[in-house]
Structures are given as C-alpha cells and as structure tokens.
C-alpha cells in the first residue's frame, strides 16, 4: 500500500505557489535540493509526472494541475489549523503578508507596520500593493484592505470607515471647457478612466448619487485611462480632463487649489472600506495584533457616517 506523505504534498503546493524550487525552499526554510528530492519522491510514489522543469521555468502537467487544485485547499487548511492551535496562546511569529490598494493610506499603513514591528520585532512583514482582488491562498495573504461591498462569505471583515469617489478637474480645464450642470454633461467632456482587470473591455459607467437620494448613471467620454490614481491626479493637474477619484486621495490637491470638485452635490455615495481576512484564521496572533493598529491609523482618513 502506498504511504501518504503530507509533507511532500505541502512542499509541492508551496513550489507551485512560489513558482520555483528556490523560492519555495526559502519560504519553507530548507535546502533547495531537499525540496527537489521530495517532489521527485512524491512523483515516484504517485507514478506520474507533476511538473515539467526547464532551466528558466516550471510548468504543471495536466495531472499536476489536477493534483494541485485538489490538494492545495486541504494542505492550506491543515497548515492553518496547526498555526491556530500552536498560536492560540503564543506571540505573533513568522511573516505577516498584508495586501493594500495602490496609493491608499500609504503613510498610515507604514506607521501601523512600524509600530507592529516595534511591538513584535520577531515578525517579518510583507506589504503587497495590488488594485485587483488578491487570492488569500494563492497569494499567501493574511489580511487585506478592501473597498466596496463584500461578497465572499468565507471572509471576516472589520469596517474601517466609509469613503466615496468624487468628480474632480483642474480650474484651468473647467474655465476652458463647456459648463457642467449635471451628470449628463460629462458626455461632452474629456474624462479620465480607471483601468481594472475585472472591467476590462466594458463600457465605463459612473454611478452617481446625491445626499438627498437622486441617482444617475453617467457614461463619460473616456479619453485617457490609467490604473493609478496618482497618475490620474497628475493628469488632472495637467488639465487633461475630469477624474472620478477617491476623496481621501485628492483632498490635499483640492486644499492647495490644484484641482477642484465638479458637481459638488454628486458623488459615488458611501463606499465601505474593510480589513478582511479568512474567517478561520481570526485567532492567529499575527493577524489579531495588526488589526487595532491598522484601525487606529487608517480609520481617521475615512468617514464614520454616510
């Protein structure tokens, strides 16, 4: 009867996730030669080839892809159960991997991480900047900051506050352009689009509303697009058009007169911002201890009420 080697399965999952034997060896804190030998032993025990290796790349075979898709969730769950049980009464240890949207509260997040490291100098912290949604298992993320309404029921969330998107342009652009009296007028203006992979190829629609409850779907004429709100701010300052941007990111430029709000009665309405993490990992010390620090630093940037 073939023996079941759970450690080999875990090493295989880490190799695939890391993308190389060398990186997996670093994460597992073992020699690369040991990683390679354990994968070879696993393939021999299964009687199949799981990986195709070249000098520059690593690729799953069809059988390897099926084995990974079926084994990875189970391996991750076993690792999580071990971490939770071991860490229930322990101090944070290992590496905390935090995912954040680009250009959101960079200073405040850095301050929270610095304080976290002061309290727990044994910890390593990795900050992953990504506008697209990260995959907690695939990307090895422990905790993430997300804007918008949550849809994944497997995640636990702590609300940091409410943000909103507002319409903004430079004073010079507005002086030189047609008057804007309502959302429908945006169609006649140069507008700046935000690129995101989940909406690639689809028509841009800006969902607007007023405090009194009026709603409108504006279909702006997008002339320039970017996946960076920082770049969008610079485009607006250069009089390139109207942007639909997070209020907290553009507040300083507005106060300096570099840009000004357009259609001040209209915005996206309140958008919740949360800390999110896998529900079954709530009690891990490394996650539990970073939550109050991030909350203390980031929440003041957001509104507490609609």
């Amino acid at each position: 009867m073939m023996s079941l080697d759970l450690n080999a399965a875990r090493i295989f999952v880490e190799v695939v996730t890391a993308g190389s034997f060398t990186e997996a060896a670093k994460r597992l804190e073992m020699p690369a030669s040991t990683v390679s030998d354990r994968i070879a032993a696993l393939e021999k025990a299964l009687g199949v080839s799981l990986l195709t290796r070249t000098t520059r790349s690593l690729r799953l075979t069809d059988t390897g892809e099926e084995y990974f898709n079926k084994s990875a969730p189970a391996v991750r769950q076993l690792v999580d159960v071990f971490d939770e049980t071991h860490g229930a009464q322990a101090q944070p240890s290992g590496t905390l991997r935090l995912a954040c949207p680009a250009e959101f509260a960079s200073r405040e997040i850095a301050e929270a991480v610095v304080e976290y490291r002061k309290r727990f100098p044994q910890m390593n912290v990795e900050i992953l900047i990504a506008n697209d949604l990260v995959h907690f298992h695939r990307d090895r993320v422990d905790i993430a900051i997300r804007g918008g309404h949550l849809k994944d029921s497997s995640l636990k969330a702590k609300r940091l506050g409410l943000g909103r998107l507002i319409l903004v342009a430079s004073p010079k652009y507005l002086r030189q352009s047609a008057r804007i009296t309502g959302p429908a007028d945006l169609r006649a203006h140069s507008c700046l689009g935000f690129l995101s992979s989940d909406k690639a190829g689809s028509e841009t629609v800006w969902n607007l509303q007023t405090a009194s409850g009026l709603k409108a779907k504006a279909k702006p004429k997008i002339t320039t697009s970017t996946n960076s709100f920082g770049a969008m701010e610079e485009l607006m300052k250069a009089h390139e058009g109207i942007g639909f941007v997070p209020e907290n990111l553009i507040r300083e430029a507005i106060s300096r007169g570099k840009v000004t709000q357009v259609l001040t009665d209209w915005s996206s309405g309140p958008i919740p911002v949360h800390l999110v993490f896998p529900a079954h990992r709530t009690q891990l010390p490394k996650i539990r201890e970073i939550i109050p620090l991030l909350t203390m630093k980031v929440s003041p940037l957001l509104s507490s009420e609609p």
Side-chain angles (χ1 to χ4, degrees):
M1 179 179 177
M2 182 187 71
S3 61
L4 177 63
D5 188 345
L6 292 177
N7 282 328
R10 183 194 176 192
I11 291 171
F12 168 74
V13 168
E14 197 64 56
V15 167
V16 175
T17 304
S20 73
F21 284 87
T22 302
E23 181 60 28
K26 290 180 181 177
R27 295 180 182 181
L28 295 167
E29 298 181 345
M30 62 176 59
S33 58
T34 300
V35 171
S36 180
D37 290 345
R38 297 299 291 273
I39 296 299
L42 178 62
E43 290 179 317
K44 182 177 180 181
L46 294 172
V48 296
S49 175
L50 300 173
L51 296 166
T52 300
R53 308 164 181 80
T54 69
T55 55
R56 293 187 177 182
S57 65
L58 196 65
R59 186 173 62 85
L60 284 166
T61 63
D62 291 342
T63 303
E65 185 172 2
E66 182 180 3
Y67 184 80
F68 174 78
N69 290 336
K70 291 181 177 179
S71 64
V75 168
R76 294 300 185 201
Q77 188 171 6
L78 283 172
V79 172
D80 288 346
V81 168
F82 175 84
D83 287 344
E84 289 175 28
T85 304
H86 177 262
Q89 304 299 326
Q91 289 283 301
S93 62
T95 298
L96 176 78
R97 193 163 168 84
L98 166 66
C100 310
E103 299 148 336
F104 174 76
S106 299
R107 181 187 299 111
E108 290 75 17
I109 291 169
E111 290 173 353
V113 168
V114 168
E115 179 61 30
Y116 183 73
R117 287 271 299 114
K118 285 181 180 177
R119 297 185 186 185
F120 309 107
Q122 74 277 15
M123 286 296 301
N124 296 318
V125 178
E126 296 179 355
I127 302 174
L128 174 65
I129 304 299
N131 283 321
D132 295 330
L133 291 182
V134 296
H135 188 286
F136 279 85
H137 285 314
R138 183 194 63 211
D139 300 319
R140 300 185 302 113
V141 169
D142 295 302
I143 187 168
I145 297 176
R146 285 184 180 173
H149 297 281
L150 302 177
K151 300 177 182 178
D152 191 340
S153 60
S154 69
L155 299 176
K156 188 173 178 63
K158 176 178 175 54
R159 197 170 85 169
L160 294 173
L162 298 169
R164 66 172 187 159
L165 303 179
I166 59 174
L167 297 161
V168 178
S170 72
K172 180 178 179 179
Y173 172 84
L174 295 174
R175 287 195 302 268
Q176 295 176 345
S177 304
R179 186 182 177 195
I180 306 175
T181 60
D185 294 334
L186 293 169
R187 193 67 184 171
H189 283 264
S190 296
C191 294
L192 308 176
F194 187 80
L195 297 171
S196 59
S197 60
D198 61 327
K199 296 181 180 178
S202 61
E203 183 181 19
T204 298
V205 177
W206 290 347
N207 293 303
L208 301 170
Q209 65 182 61
T210 66
S212 62
L214 293 177
K215 295 185 178 181
K217 288 184 177 292
K219 296 182 178 180
K221 182 180 70 176
I222 301 298
T223 55
T224 306
S225 298
T226 176
N227 64 349
S228 164
F229 283 118
M232 190 176 293
E233 178 181 341
E234 295 305 316
L235 287 165
M236 290 187 294
K237 290 177 181 177
H239 328 301
E240 183 64 20
I242 301 170
F244 194 38
V245 296
E247 183 178 26
N248 66 289
L249 295 185
I250 203 67
R251 193 176 288 135
E252 184 176 347
I254 291 177
S255 68
R256 292 183 176 181
K258 300 294 185 181
V259 294
T260 187
Q261 188 174 351
V262 180
L263 296 177
T264 55
D265 290 337
W266 294 89
S267 73
S268 66
I271 299 173
V273 179
H274 294 92
L275 286 173
V276 294
F277 40 92
H280 64 278
R281 308 195 76 196
T282 305
Q283 295 306 313
L284 279 182
K286 66 178 180 178
I287 294 176
R288 188 178 65 232
E289 296 294 346
I290 192 65
I291 291 173
L293 295 174
L294 288 170
T295 302
M296 178 179 65
K297 294 294 184 179
V298 176
S299 288
L301 299 177
L302 304 167
S303 172
S304 58
E305 297 180 359

